Amino acid sequence: MNHVIDTATMTVPFLCVIILYCLILTGLGWYGSQKNKGLSDYFTMSGKAGAILTGIAYFSTQYSMSTFMGVPGSIYHVGYAGMSVSVPGIAFSMLIPALLVGRRLITLGHRYNMLTMADYLADRYESTGVRGLLAVLMLIFLVSMMGAQTIGGGVIFTTYTGAPEWVGIVVMGVTVMLYCMAGGIRSIMLTDLIQGILMVVTAVVTFFVSLKLGGGLEVINEKLAAMDTNYVSFPGHNNSYPWQGYVSMIVMWSFFAIGQPHLFTKFFTMKDHKTMFKAVILGTLGMWFSASFIEWCGVTGIISFPGLEGKQSDFVVPLILQGGLSPILSSLMIAGIFSAGMSTISSLLLTATSAASRDLYQKILKRNATDEETLRLSKVITVCLGIIAIGIGIYKPGSIFQIVLFAYGGLGIWAAPILLGMYWRRTTTAAVYVGVISAEILYVLMVVKFTSWSFGFNPLIVAWAFAMVVMIVVSLLTKPASEATIRRHFDDLDRRADAA
């Protein structure tokens, strides 16, 4: 059965909603620019952000275009087993990092004015080289992830207006570029607040619309079971999720959020530990609601819109919205999907900017550069990186999910030096170089050619485990950090925690 979006009835409402939406976001960017007083404000709001802003900003950043299109599309071919994989992994992607590294990062950020993930790693391992290595990898992987998000914007724009994909890619990219350049993290968090709320509303509304189209949940489940009992049981239709894949996806999206610089730095923006606790509750609830409801639509859509094949299944959510809502309301909900891409792009763009302007320029290439000079350069770099991301989106080197998955894995390996550096005093600088570089090479080899080396797991899990083993061995054979650094990162923090 062929299902298509009715472009004729959707173009005008869609354009009106998207234009108004982009203007509001640009206005928030201007507002944020009036509040910034320096580099620390630009990148972390000087560590003064409250629970609502940080909680919603975290989950808005984590949830991308793939969450609202690619994931429901993949679940459409699997059934409930797909939800059992995706929902736990995504919903706990803030809770686990907060428990493992959040408290220490807030303390370190406030005490030593740390603004980036590289600030932490360079200080812990007493190495400018580690800063440079991370900054270069961040630029490669983060800009690739940005490009992937713009692809989704282009596809939606084409689907609803008939215009070329590059038009939507440029609209999304330029809007994000403008408000990021203007106000930095403050503008991003303010826009994330709107985008996060819109994402939750879109997820809930789409789910209940899908129930109405399918005749109710009981009827939908009965029809699914009649088609194939594996749609309502594990491991899913066509045995889609063997246990290795099940474990991999949950661990990837929850635990490895620790190694993602754009999520890592959110802890530097938080006011204090109480703020983090409230933000985690709010962010986790937001992620759980959004993930559960929007991904459930991939299951209910099997009945409402049967016969979607290949990439057509990525449009199951837009099809549900158009089939059950008026053009105006449907367009407003589609703006929620647009939000998922824009909120992720904005944080990726600012984090990549910090890698170039602070980590490479101010801390390595020109160490006497002032914060004011670095801030001016940051705005120029934001534009340059935004243009590159737009170019990647237009060129489209791969699917949204493929690009995001690859880049996420490349950065996830950094969870090894973060965790060992935070919990094992003996971890050394040499271990970071050897462990990370060798693991990155192994990861790329497994993705590109030697897939059997991963034993059925996602290559990131195997590469990270390899990095941990190598780092432990090398650390035992090489010189640890100085006593002053160990005291700063362990003894002083532990005494502060005991006093609290």
Side-chain angles (χ1 to χ4, degrees):
M1 186 180 296
N2 186 33
H3 299 286
V4 295
I5 300 291
D6 185 0
T7 304
T9 61
M10 293 300 300
T11 298
V12 173
F14 174 79
L15 286 176
C16 290
V17 169
I18 291 300
I19 290 171
L20 177 61
Y21 181 61
C22 289
L23 288 174
I24 291 172
L25 296 184
T26 304
L28 286 173
W30 175 85
Y31 173 79
S33 69
Q34 307 304 301
K35 300 291 184 179
N36 282 336
K37 297 178 181 178
L39 194 65
S40 181
D41 262 0
Y42 192 78
F43 286 131
T44 65
M45 281 182 65
S46 298
K48 296 178 181 177
I52 294 177
L53 273 183
T54 52
I56 294 180
Y58 192 101
F59 100 75
S60 297
T61 299
Q62 175 73 316
Y63 278 24
S64 65
M65 191 73 73
S66 179
T67 309
F68 281 75
M69 292 186 71
V71 176
S74 67
I75 290 174
Y76 177 93
H77 299 290
V78 176
Y80 278 103
M83 286 185 64
S84 72
V85 172
S86 300
V87 173
I90 295 177
F92 295 134
S93 61
M94 186 177 186
L95 178 61
I96 291 176
L99 290 174
L100 292 177
V101 303
R103 286 180 62 86
R104 286 179 176 268
L105 290 180
I106 292 172
T107 302
L108 288 166
H110 281 267
R111 190 178 300 179
Y112 304 116
N113 192 34
M114 293 181 180
L115 307 182
T116 68
M117 185 166 133
D119 279 348
Y120 165 72
L121 289 168
D123 189 76
R124 168 62 181 87
Y125 294 110
E126 305 173 328
S127 173
T128 301
V130 169
R131 179 190 294 276
L133 175 63
L134 174 60
V136 170
L137 291 175
M138 282 168 59
L139 288 171
I140 294 171
F141 290 124
L142 293 178
V143 174
S144 298
M145 290 175 74
M146 280 189 279
Q149 299 303 318
T150 64
I151 293 172
V155 170
I156 287 178
F157 211 87
T158 296
T159 303
Y160 280 85
T161 67
E165 284 189 15
W166 69 264
V167 176
I169 290 171
V170 171
V171 168
M172 174 180 274
V174 170
T175 302
V176 174
M177 200 189 322
L178 287 174
Y179 70 74
C180 281
M181 179 186 66
I185 191 65
R186 190 183 305 274
S187 296
I188 289 172
M189 284 192 161
L190 288 172
T191 54
D192 280 352
L193 183 62
I194 293 177
Q195 291 164 338
I197 293 171
L198 189 54
M199 277 188 266
V200 173
V201 172
T202 298
V204 174
V205 169
T206 306
F207 172 69
F208 283 105
V209 169
S210 74
L211 290 185
K212 181 180 178 181
L213 291 175
L217 188 58
E218 185 176 350
V219 172
I220 291 171
N221 288 338
E222 288 176 358
K223 289 181 178 180
L224 286 172
M227 292 168 62
D228 181 357
T229 56
N230 286 325
Y231 274 127
V232 293
S233 62
F234 190 82
H237 183 60
N238 292 330
N239 295 316
S240 300
Y241 282 108
W243 72 270
Q244 295 100 323
Y246 181 79
V247 171
S248 292
M249 295 301 286
I250 291 179
V251 173
M252 266 193 64
W253 299 115
S254 56
F255 174 78
F256 286 107
I258 293 169
Q260 307 303 311
H262 55 296
L263 300 174
F264 184 98
T265 52
K266 289 291 190 291
F267 292 105
F268 289 149
T269 68
M270 296 179 183
K271 190 183 300 182
D272 50 36
H273 298 154
K274 291 182 180 178
T275 296
M276 183 190 75
F277 176 75
K278 296 175 184 176
V280 167
I281 294 176
L282 180 62
T284 300
L285 286 174
M287 286 189 276
W288 184 81
F289 265 87
S290 297
S292 298
F293 286 118
I294 204 64
E295 293 178 16
W296 210 332
C297 295
V299 177
T300 58
I302 300 171
I303 302 303
S304 302
F305 298 94
L308 297 178
E309 298 178 357
K311 292 183 179 180
Q312 281 186 329
S313 62
D314 286 345
F315 290 94
V316 64
V317 169
L319 284 168
I320 289 170
L321 290 171
Q322 188 189 38
L325 295 175
S326 68
I328 290 290
L329 287 177
S330 176
S331 296
L332 187 60
M333 295 301 100
I334 290 298
I337 301 176
F338 227 63
S339 294
M342 295 178 80
S343 60
T344 301
I345 293 172
S346 59
S347 286
L348 293 171
L349 182 54
L350 187 70
T351 307
T353 295
S354 71
S357 62
R358 179 171 174 84
D359 297 327
L360 290 178
Y361 178 75
Q362 189 183 37
K363 294 296 185 179
I364 296 177
L365 299 177
K366 190 178 179 182
R367 299 191 181 188
N368 61 345
T370 64
D371 283 357
E372 291 75 16
E373 181 183 348
T374 305
L375 179 57
R376 288 194 298 270
L377 179 65
S378 295
K379 297 188 177 186
V380 175
I381 290 174
T382 296
V383 174
C384 294
L385 294 178
I387 292 172
I388 295 172
I390 290 172
I392 292 173
I394 294 174
Y395 178 67
K396 197 186 300 184
S399 71
I400 298 173
F401 191 70
Q402 286 173 333
I403 298 172
V404 170
L405 196 63
F406 177 72
Y408 192 93
L411 292 170
I413 290 169
W414 285 89
I418 290 170
L419 288 173
L420 285 176
M422 203 166 280
Y423 288 101
W424 190 34
R425 296 167 182 249
R426 191 67 180 75
T427 314
T428 68
T429 305
V432 176
Y433 286 120
V434 178
V436 169
I437 293 174
S438 60
E440 293 284 3
I441 293 171
L442 176 63
Y443 173 73
V444 172
L445 288 174
M446 285 190 290
V447 171
V448 174
K449 188 173 179 62
F450 303 102
T451 55
S452 62
W453 291 3
S454 63
F455 307 105
F457 294 96
N458 185 279
L460 169 58
I461 294 178
V462 176
W464 174 79
F466 177 78
M468 290 287 285
V469 172
V470 170
M471 287 187 64
I472 291 171
V473 172
V474 175
S475 291
L476 293 173
L477 300 174
T478 54
K479 182 181 178 182
S482 67
E483 291 184 7
T485 295
I486 297 301
R487 183 169 58 250
R488 187 164 62 251
H489 282 263
F490 288 92
D491 299 329
D492 289 351
L493 289 185
D494 292 340
R495 278 196 293 270
R496 177 67 65 88
D498 291 340

